[in-house]
Structure formats: structure tokens, C-alpha cells
Amino acid sequence: MNKVLIVEDDELIAELERDYLEAGGFEVELIFDGNEGLNRAMAGGWDALILDVMLPDGDGFSLLQELRRERDIPILFLSARD
């Protein structure tokens, strides 16, 4: 089964994303802030990451830069940013 980590501060959006992915057969974990998301992503074991651009403790672009230093997994940015 493919494992996807979602880092999204809006719980309703994150839950909607999770529901669709789980219906498609994916295993999903939700994280609601950037620091915890970075720690979980660095721990490995993920096939893909869905990342919000605006997070309460930073931005998704900074998280991406940190993550890319050690991990090379597919990352999809998804944001409600105007």
C-alpha cells in the first residue's frame, strides 16, 4: 500500500484529502504544523507528501528545502492561497 503524508494546517481540508486518498487505497497520516511534518517526513517510509504552502510555524517552501537535503520523494503542493 502507498503511504502519503499530508502536512496541512486546515483540518477540514486535510480530512477531505485523507478521505479521497484512503478511498483510493492509500494509507494516510495527517500532520497540522510544519515542524512536526518535517520530522515525520524525515523519518522516512513515505511514498509521497502533500504539503500546504502556508503553515502556522513557517511555510511549505522552507519545509521543502529542508526535506530535499535528505529525502527525495514526490511532493505535491496544495494550498488555498489566493
Side-chain angles (χ1 to χ4, degrees), residues 21-80:
L21 288 167
E22 286 180 343
F26 292 90
E27 183 179 334
V28 178
E29 182 175 341
L30 303 179
I31 302 292
F32 301 105
D33 70 73
N35 287 327
E36 185 179 352
L38 179 60
N39 290 335
R40 291 293 294 133
M42 288 291 211
W46 304 103
D47 296 300
L49 174 65
I50 297 177
L51 183 58
D52 189 8
V53 172
M54 298 181 302
L55 296 165
D57 55 348
D59 65 77
F61 298 114
S62 298
L63 192 151
L64 172 66
Q65 288 177 331
E66 289 292 321
L67 182 61
R68 282 290 183 234
R69 292 181 183 156
E70 306 221 6
R71 299 275 181 233
D72 186 25
I73 64 171
I75 297 174
L76 175 70
F77 275 103
L78 186 64
S79 183

Side-chain angles (χ1 to χ4, degrees), residues 1-4 18-28:
M1 176 177 294
N2 290 330
K3 293 175 63 175
V4 177
R18 180 196 59 209
D19 292 346
Y20 276 102
L21 288 167
E22 286 180 343
F26 292 90
E27 183 179 334
V28 178

Side-chain angles (χ1 to χ4, degrees), residues 5-21:
L5 178 65
I6 297 174
V7 182
E8 166 67 61
D9 64 324
D10 186 313
E11 290 187 34
L12 293 176
I13 292 173
E15 291 169 357
L16 181 64
E17 293 169 359
R18 180 196 59 209
D19 292 346
Y20 276 102
L21 288 167

